[in-house]
Amino acid sequence: MLTLYWVPGTCSLAPSITLREGAFDFTTDRVDVRNGKKLESGKDYLAINPKGYVPALALGDGRVLTECAVILQYLADAKPAAKLAPGSPERLELQEWLLFIATELHKAMSPFYQPTATEDFRAVLRGRIDGRLAYLEKHLATRPFIMGEQFTVADAYAFYTLRAAQKVMKATLSPGLAAYYAKLAQRPSVAEALKFEQLEA
Ligand SMILES: N[C@@H](CCC(=O)N[C@@H](CS)C(=O)NCC(=O)O)C(=O)O
């Protein structure tokens, strides 16, 4: 049985959506970030994932995967019928998108979670992130999903970052991205994942 280690409203939302897209049999264990990284199960999260951050995915055979982009690809490959990731050579394009989302959007937004980040610093970051979001919007102008006609794990990860852009960075999405976000929010997997975390889109 797979176990997803998660924190509400964070990037663990992307594997949570993917687990539902792939109709996986899985369980979850919530990390209490304010209480020494204890898990709701009572276990010590650092003993499972010494990196201390989420997401992590225990595979049930003693292995634990970390790093969102890797977990997403593991899940996609475990359920090929769900078509959540293409094979080679298109896989490279998917990986380009996953790394773009991870580094240029997801982690670029991290300082917005820090109350000590100055307004000047936020403004510089905001300008850079706005450019990256404009690139994503332009790409989506000619296709419904990041990889084309098919929803993939890149869209699950993009949904989390676009949610964070609005809720954490307090951005207003441009019309193209707002339409993409609204379309993703209507997918049963996304709606279920949000409901589980008691979150609004
Ligand atoms: N490199 C990691 C970063 C994951 C990450 O930033 N997780 C955040 C939530 S979105 C977290 O757990 N932060 C708490 C911490 O760093 O202690 C990945 O791509 O999965």
Side-chain angles (χ1 to χ4, degrees):
M1 169 84 83
L2 300 172
T3 304
L4 176 67
Y5 297 93
W6 69 290
V7 173
T10 70
C11 54
S12 51
L13 185 59
S16 176
I17 292 168
T18 304
L19 283 159
R20 290 169 169 86
E21 277 285 338
F24 281 89
D25 199 13
F26 70 99
T27 185
T28 62
D29 207 348
R30 178 174 169 166
V31 183
D32 185 347
V33 278
R34 281 187 292 275
N35 185 21
K37 312 259 180 197
K38 279 281 169 235
L39 291 165
E40 64 181 337
S41 62
K43 292 183 206 154
D44 175 13
Y45 184 52
L46 292 175
I48 293 164
N49 174 16
K51 289 174 173 170
Y53 51 70
V54 292
L57 185 74
L59 304 187
D61 59 2
R63 287 179 295 163
V64 176
L65 290 181
T66 61
E67 303 304 322
C68 202
V70 169
I71 291 171
L72 294 176
Q73 289 183 82
Y74 171 82
L75 292 173
D77 290 341
K79 283 279 170 88
K83 293 188 166 63
L84 294 168
S88 192
E90 292 84 4
R91 177 61 64 96
L92 292 175
E93 193 192 334
L94 176 81
Q95 289 179 336
E96 262 190 280
W97 278 106
L98 289 175
L99 293 179
F100 173 81
I101 294 166
T103 59
E104 303 299 332
L105 296 176
H106 168 197
K107 292 311 291 186
M109 282 178 210
S110 287
F112 287 89
Y113 285 92
Q114 304 301 328
T116 50
T118 65
E119 283 309 314
D120 284 355
F121 183 49
R122 284 166 193 256
V124 171
L125 282 183
R126 181 66 194 268
R128 290 170 66 87
I129 293 167
D130 283 350
R132 297 343 185 218
L133 290 173
Y135 174 77
L136 177 61
E137 181 179 37
K138 193 168 172 220
H139 178 76
L140 287 166
T142 53
R143 43 184 78 72
F145 299 109
I146 288 178
M147 291 300 291
E149 296 302 314
Q150 178 72 32
F151 175 95
T152 67
V153 291
D155 300 294
Y157 202 178
F159 182 82
Y160 156 70
T161 54
L162 293 178
R163 187 177 185 279
Q166 296 171 90
K167 308 289 179 195
V168 182
M169 207 173 74
K170 308 291 180 207
T172 301
L173 296 183
S174 56
L177 287 182
Y180 169 69
Y181 183 79
K183 178 175 60 192
L184 294 182
Q186 282 172 8
R187 289 182 80 80
S189 62
V190 177
E192 255 181 58
L194 289 172
K195 190 172 169 202
F196 176 76
E197 298 195 12
Q198 298 185 326
L199 299 172
E200 303 289 325

